[in-house]
Amino acid sequence: MTVLPSPGPEVPVRDVLLTCPLDCPDACRLKVTLETGADGTERMAKVTGDPDHATTRGFACAKTVHYPARQNHQGRPLYPMKRVDGELVRIGWEQALDEIAQRLRDILAISGPSAILPYHYAGTMGLREGTHVHGFFRALGACELDETICASAGTEAWSMGYGPRYGVDMQDVPHARTIILWGINSLSTNSHLTPWLTRARKNGARIWHIDPYRNRTSRFADTHLKLRPGTDTALSLGLAREITRQGWHDAEYIQQATQGFEEYRQAAEEYTLERAAEITGLSVQDIAELARAMGQSSPTYIRVGYGMTRHENGGTALRSVSLLPAVTGDWRRRGGGCTLSTSGAFALNRTRLGAAHLIRPDARHVNMNGLGRELAPEAGIEALFVYNSNPAVVAPDSSRVRSGMARPDLLTVVLEQAMTETALLADYLLPATTFAEHADLYTSYGHHSLGYNPATLSAPGEARPNSWVFAELGRRLGLDVPELFWSMDELLASVLDTGHPYLAGITPERLKAEGSVPLNLPEEFLPYAHGAGTPSGKVMFTPAPRYIPVQAQLSAEYPLRLITPPAHHFMNSTYGNVEYLNRAEGTEPQVMVHPQDAELYTVLDGEYATLSSEQGQVTRRVRVTADVQPGVVVVEGTWWGLSAPDGESINTLTAQTLTDLGAGSTFHNTRVRLSPR
C-alpha cells in the first residue's frame, strides 16, 4: 500500500491591492499575494491584476507577474556598502550617512553646489520616492537635472499644438472606426489597451500599425506599414495633403478651434502621395488607403508612442502626427483624437512637490542625455547621486558614462534595489525599498485614476526609502526646508490642495481608504473639442511642421540604421536580473538583420557579429529575419551589459545627440556597420 505524505502546515496568505510603480502608461492596480514564512515575515509570492480596476481588469503584464523574483532576489542589496580597496564592503547607516554628509560639506565649501549632480528618472513613478526626493538637491542649490531621456521631445511637441497633455479615455476607444498605432508596440508597452482595441475591432474598426519593423503589434493589426525610420513627418504631411485635397477635412472645426491651418496646408502641399512614398518607403496605394480610412471611416483614434521621437527630427515628427485629428475634426467625436499621454488631467498642486519653489534661477542645468560629457573631469562634477535609474546601461554613450562614474576623484552614491552595473560602480551603495515597502502616490499617463500605496511589507535587511535617506542627509547638513521632512500625509494634503474640478472630492482620507480613485472627468471627455490649452486657446498648426532629414545620414562607413525598441518581457533595465525574463527574450541580446543585409555583410543567422558606430562597438548574436527592412537593424530591449557576450550595453553605440524639440534622446538615430566577428 502506498502511503502518501501528510500535507505540511498551511502557509498563511493574504492579498493586497497596490499600484505598480514602473514607467508604463497602464499604471496597473495589482493584486499582490503575500505569504508568511516560518519566521513570521511576509514575502511577496504572486502578482496578478485587480479584477475590479477599470484599466487593469484582472491581468498584469508579462513582465510584472514576475516581480516577486525581483523583490526576493538573492542578490538584492540589503545593507549599506562602501568601496574599500576597490571592493564594496558592508558598513552601517550611521557611518555611510556621516561620511557622505562630510564629503558634501567639503565639496560645498570648496567648489559650491553646482559640483553636485543628482541623476534620476522613472525607476519609480511614485510622487514621493520618485519626485519629492529631488527637494534635497534643490535645498542645496545643486545642479538641476533636465529629465529628457524619454518624454521631453514629445512633451514639447504636444505643448506647442495643444498645451496640456490630454488623451482619449481608453474606454472610449471602442467607438473608433479607424485605429492607428503609430510608433508604438502597444501589445508590449501598453498591454491594457489591447482589450479595448479588440472590442473596437468587433465593432467594425480597422487597426493600422505604423512602425519600422514587424513586431507583436504589427501581427495583431489588420495592416502594417513598415516606414523608414525617421520619416514620420513626411508620411503625416502626405496624409494631411490627401485628406484636404479630397475634402475630407473638417472645415468647421478648423475654423472654430484651430489657428494657422492655411500655413500648415501650404507646408503639406509639397508632400504628394508620390513624394511621401519615396521618402517613407511605403507605396502610394498604402498611403492613399490610409488617408481614405481617416477621411471616410471616422472616428479615427491615433495612439502615438515616443518611438518616433528618438531621432534628431523626432519632436517635429510627433507634432506633425498629433495634428492629424485636428485636420479631420476627430477631437469632436467620442473615440476620436490622439493619445500620447493622459498626464495633463492630473491637475495636482505641485508648487511644493520636490521643493520646486526652491529651484534657483541661476542653477546649473544638466541634460541627462549628456551625462557622459558632464562626468568628464573638466566639467566640474565632483559628486554624483543616482536613484531610480541605471545610467551605466540606459544612458547614451554608456562607455563614456561608465568611465566617468569610475573616476577616483568622483563621489558616486547609488540608491538601489538591485545590484545593477551602476550599483557596482558606486562608492557608497545604499539599499532602497520597493513599492510594497513604502507609501506613495501615483498618477498615470495612460488612464485617469490616482493610486495610493501604503507601506505593506517590512523592508528586508536595512533597506530604506529614498525619502528617508535624503531627510537624514538633510539633518546632518542642517537644511531648514520643511518639505524635505514631510510625512506621506503632509505630501498628500499638499498635492490634493487644488480647486481643479478633476480633483473635486478626492481627499487624502478617501484616497487612502479606496486605494484607487478615478478623476472627476466629464462623462463624455472631449478635451480639445472646442480648442486647446495654448495661449491662443486654439489648436496651433503654426509653426507648420516640415520634414527635415536627420544629419546622421547613412554612409559607406555606416550604412545601417540601428533602432533599439522595448522588448516584450523587459521594462527598460528594471528586470535585467530576473533570469526567467532574460530566457523569455532569448537569454542574450540579439540583432535582427534583414536577409539581404545578412548576405551583403556576410553574417550568419545564430552567429556573433560586431556592430560598430562612431561611439563604440558591441558583439551581438545575429537573427536573420524579414521582420526588419533592408538598411535597418533592430536590437530589442535595454539588456544589462552583464547579459551580453562582450559585457557591453547597446548604448555603447548611441550618441548624446539631441532632438529638435525638447532636447530629448536620439536612440533610434544611430548609424552602424555590421561585420562578422
Side-chain angles (χ1 to χ4, degrees), residues 327-401:
V327 176
T328 58
D330 278 302
W331 287 117
R332 302 201 292 184
R333 305 177 183 98
R334 189 173 184 185
C338 181
T339 296
L340 171 68
S341 169
T342 62
S343 57
F346 293 87
L348 299 168
N349 178 1
R350 295 173 179 262
T351 55
R352 297 172 70 193
L353 183 67
H357 62 295
L358 296 182
I359 298 175
R360 303 180 186 184
D362 61 345
R364 175 182 175 182
H365 280 254
V366 170
N367 186 310
M368 68 189 305
N369 294 305
L371 181 62
R373 182 169 52 250
E374 297 290 343
L375 292 183
E378 63 272 16
I381 298 298
E382 299 178 26
L384 173 70
F385 283 74
V386 179
Y387 51 99
N388 303 330
S389 188
N390 183 14
V393 171
V394 305
D397 203 353
S398 58
S399 291
R400 194 171 174 186
V401 170

Side-chain angles (χ1 to χ4, degrees), residues 72-86:
N72 305 317
H73 197 279
Q74 62 181 3
R76 179 178 172 184
L78 297 178
Y79 302 94
M81 304 184 82
K82 176 185 178 180
R83 187 168 301 281
V84 178
D85 296 328

Side-chain angles (χ1 to χ4, degrees), residues 347-351 491-500 503 506 508:
L348 299 168
N349 178 1
R350 295 173 179 262
T351 55
L491 186 147
L492 286 174
S494 179
V495 298
L496 293 176
D497 182 15
T498 170
H500 198 284
L503 276 299
I506 302 178

Side-chain angles (χ1 to χ4, degrees), residues 20 54 77 122 128 154 210 241 264 266 291 380 390 412 473 544 581 616 634:
C20 179
R128 188 184 195 197
I210 302 175
R241 181 187 184 276
Y264 170 86
Q266 290 177 11
N390 183 14
T412 302
L473 287 173
L581 296 177
V634 177

Side-chain angles (χ1 to χ4, degrees), residues 16-18 28-32 46-53 55-61 64-65 192:
V16 296
L17 299 177
L18 299 172
C28 288
R29 194 68 175 168
L30 303 174
K31 184 169 77 170
V32 180
K46 181 181 178 181
V47 171
T48 57
D50 177 1
D52 297 321
H53 190 270
T55 299
T56 308
R57 298 167 65 84
F59 74 95
C61 71
T64 299
V65 292
H192 289 81

Side-chain angles (χ1 to χ4, degrees), residues 124-264:
T124 175
M125 300 296 286
L127 295 190
R128 188 184 195 197
E129 302 303 330
T131 302
H132 193 61
V133 289
H134 307 337
F136 170 73
F137 298 98
R138 290 164 179 168
L140 293 177
C143 293
E144 187 70 20
L145 186 76
D146 294 333
E147 294 185 303
T148 53
I149 202 166
C150 181
S152 61
T155 299
E156 184 168 336
W158 192 275
S159 179
M160 288 174 66
Y162 294 103
R165 285 176 293 169
Y166 298 128
V168 180
D169 192 282
M170 211 180 289
Q171 297 176 53
D172 284 343
V173 170
H175 293 275
R177 290 299 172 266
T178 297
I179 294 174
I180 307 171
L181 307 171
W182 197 324
I184 183 172
N185 182 4
S186 67
L187 266 70
S188 294
T189 63
N190 189 187
S191 59
H192 289 81
L193 175 62
T194 308
W196 304 105
L197 298 175
T198 300
R199 187 175 298 184
R201 174 180 274 151
K202 290 179 179 178
N203 291 342
R206 179 177 177 182
I207 300 174
W208 301 69
H209 187 220
I210 302 175
D211 203 277
Y213 81 111
R214 184 173 174 82
N215 51 48
R216 289 173 186 265
T217 301
S218 313
R219 289 185 279 273
F220 170 81
D222 300 301
T223 304
H224 175 213
L225 302 184
K226 195 186 291 184
L227 87 169
R228 291 191 183 109
T231 63
D232 306 81
T233 303
L235 176 57
S236 64
L237 291 173
L239 291 169
R241 181 187 184 276
E242 180 67 7
I243 289 167
T244 305
R245 191 180 71 85
Q246 296 289 352
W248 296 327
H249 59 297
D250 188 331
E252 182 182 36
Y253 178 82
I254 290 168
Q255 193 277 326
Q256 293 178 355
T258 78
Q259 184 172 307
F261 179 74
E262 185 56 29
E263 178 186 333
Y264 170 86

